[in-house]
Amino acid sequence: MNCTDFEVLLADALGDELSVADRPAFEAHLAECEKCRREYETALRTVTTMRALPGPARATVRREGNRLVIDDRPPHALRVPWWLRGGVFRYAASILIAFAAGYAVHAGLMMTEVGRPVDRLVQKDDGIEAPTSPNSLQRALVHTHVRNPARSDLAKCLIAMAKPTG
Amino acid sequence: MTVIGDPSGRGFEQYTGEVYGWAYRLLGRHHDALDVVQDVFLRWDAQCARQAPKQPRGWLRRVTLNRVIDLRRQQQRIAEPQASACAESTVAETRSPQDVGMRIDQEALRDDITTALDRLSDVQRSVIVAKVYDDMTFAQVAEELGLAVSTVKTHYLRAVGTVRDRLKRRWAKEESS
């Protein structure tokens, strides 16, 4: 094969259409002719560079009634799951809502356990508060302790329990 | 979501994705590609009102490439503002310096390729895009363009040669740096 024959086959080689029959002669000429090899390599690099440009082979188009619609996002772009699209603020809001709901549930439970309207406390002469009925004494003590454990005074509570009410 | 228009039952729908693909590959920006799609659609509609193209895909490829070249010329004419806007959008859309560098590099590469395509004839341009991006055979391209296969091969070689001459400068710069 000479350089003129090589030129004839060059387009086929670049277009991936070189026949099996022509391939050996083509490759043999590439091996022996520096000029043709350089020409082939630069042409192949050109085609490869053009092919490497990122982009979709075709976009996804859908019909909505009488209109054609292309999605605004590039078709080859990474699809972000719906739950990641809101960003950080959505996460922060979710966490806040979860905490608020937890607190509300917790507070609600405490109300049902302890805070059923606690019997009105009566101020005694010695400054110790005592509930109006013995049955509510325990509830009042627990209520006081839970609301403010640091300040609840067990000794006063015991005295109050020992004293007769009314 | 972008509405292209009312296809009026003239067969634009089946080619819209390909028109977008050609435009996006060479322009690299979604909204530029959509502009081209809409413009090509209007021309297609006007053409169909007169006479439907015998080879719709070939016709659309040629018109799309011409429109892409026109758009590139317009952008180069207002190169400075465009460059700064491009840089801003590039920074805004990407996340890391590597991404920014890669996008700027691709933009320059697209610029080189479209500049080279601008120097080709309509037929050469259609041939190289059909071969490189649509993976068509020489026989298919020849049938679409109504030319002999050997003529198509000649056009292909010349087109590749023209693009290669343009890219050679780029490669030389890359190798020297």
Side-chain angles (χ1 to χ4, degrees):
Chain A
M1 177 182 279
N2 57 27
C3 293
T4 310
D5 297 334
F6 174 85
E7 290 282 342
V8 173
L9 294 179
L10 181 58
D12 287 336
L14 291 174
D16 292 329
E17 292 185 43
L18 193 60
S19 68
V20 178
D22 290 331
R23 188 172 292 277
F26 183 82
E27 287 175 353
H29 185 75
L30 275 183
E32 69 190 18
C33 180
E34 172 71 22
K35 178 176 162 286
C36 289
R37 186 169 67 244
R38 196 169 297 163
E39 186 179 352
Y40 172 70
E41 284 172 354
T42 52
L44 190 63
R45 189 177 176 185
T46 303
V47 173
T48 310
T49 305
M50 283 186 74
R51 280 209 177 111
L53 279 182
R58 62 179 63 200
T60 306
V61 181
R62 66 179 188 277
R63 178 185 278 274
E64 281 185 2
N66 286 328
R67 304 175 308 173
L68 290 182
V69 174
I70 290 183
D71 201 343
D72 265 349
R73 287 168 297 171
H76 62 287
L78 178 68
R79 300 284 188 208
V80 180
W82 64 268
W83 46 273
L84 277 179
R85 288 181 202 150
V88 177
F89 292 110
R90 187 167 293 184
Y91 279 114
S94 306
I95 291 167
L96 272 177
I97 290 170
F99 268 104
Y103 181 79
V105 168
H106 182 64
L109 284 175
M110 282 181 53
M111 283 300 286
T112 53
E113 274 178 20
V114 181
R116 268 181 305 171
V118 176
D119 296 1
R120 195 146 46 93
L121 299 180
V122 177
Q123 185 70 34
K124 296 290 183 183
D125 295 340
D126 54 4
I128 299 171
E129 287 181 350
T132 53
S133 68
N135 291 339
S136 61
L137 176 63
Q138 287 184 346
R139 271 191 273 136
L141 288 175
V142 173
H143 179 72
T144 308
H145 183 75
V146 169
R147 286 192 67 179
N148 202 342
R151 288 198 171 191
S152 70
D153 192 329
L154 189 57
K156 284 184 180 179
C157 290
L158 289 172
I159 293 167
M161 287 173 74
K163 283 188 175 182
T165 56
Chain B
M1 191 177 77
T2 301
V3 176
I4 299 303
D6 182 354
S8 312
R10 285 177 173 159
F12 187 74
E13 185 175 0
Q14 60 181 309
Y15 302 108
T16 310
E18 285 179 281
V19 171
Y20 176 89
W22 297 323
Y24 187 89
R25 268 261 174 77
L26 294 170
L27 292 167
R29 279 189 287 269
H30 175 63
H31 292 288
D32 285 348
L34 285 178
D35 282 349
V36 169
V37 172
Q38 291 184 340
D39 201 36
V40 170
F41 164 69
L42 291 175
R43 291 176 193 209
W44 167 266
D45 212 38
Q47 176 67 32
C48 286
R50 294 192 300 271
Q51 185 184 6
K54 289 177 184 171
Q55 295 286 349
R57 203 152 168 258
W59 186 93
L60 284 168
R61 188 185 295 110
R62 183 168 56 78
V63 173
T64 303
L65 294 176
N66 286 341
R67 185 68 196 107
V68 165
I69 301 290
D70 288 346
L71 197 61
R72 272 284 175 186
R73 280 188 199 144
Q74 287 170 12
Q75 289 174 350
Q76 283 166 357
R77 220 173 288 147
I78 47 172
E80 288 305 314
Q82 183 71 28
S84 58
C86 173
E88 281 169 18
S89 67
T90 300
V91 170
E93 287 170 15
T94 53
R95 293 176 183 174
S96 69
Q98 288 89 346
D99 284 346
V100 174
M102 195 175 74
R103 284 183 66 100
I104 289 172
D105 205 40
Q106 281 177 358
E107 182 67 20
L109 179 61
R110 281 196 171 92
D111 206 35
D112 281 341
I113 289 173
T114 49
T115 304
L117 291 180
D118 193 8
R119 292 179 185 164
L120 302 175
S121 67
D122 281 359
V123 177
Q124 288 172 344
R125 216 178 283 156
S126 294
V127 168
I128 194 170
V129 168
K131 278 298 289 175
V132 173
Y133 293 141
D134 294 345
D135 287 329
M136 291 171 73
T137 64
F138 286 118
Q140 288 171 331
V141 179
E143 189 185 343
E144 190 178 276
L145 296 176
L147 298 170
V149 173
S150 58
T151 310
V152 170
K153 287 181 183 177
T154 307
H155 283 311
Y156 181 58
L157 279 183
R158 285 184 188 160
V160 170
T162 305
V163 179
R164 177 186 59 193
D165 290 345
R166 179 76 192 185
L167 292 180
K168 264 184 179 175
R169 297 177 206 167
R170 177 185 184 80
W171 296 333
K173 276 184 199 169
E174 285 174 359
E175 281 160 15
S176 64
S177 63

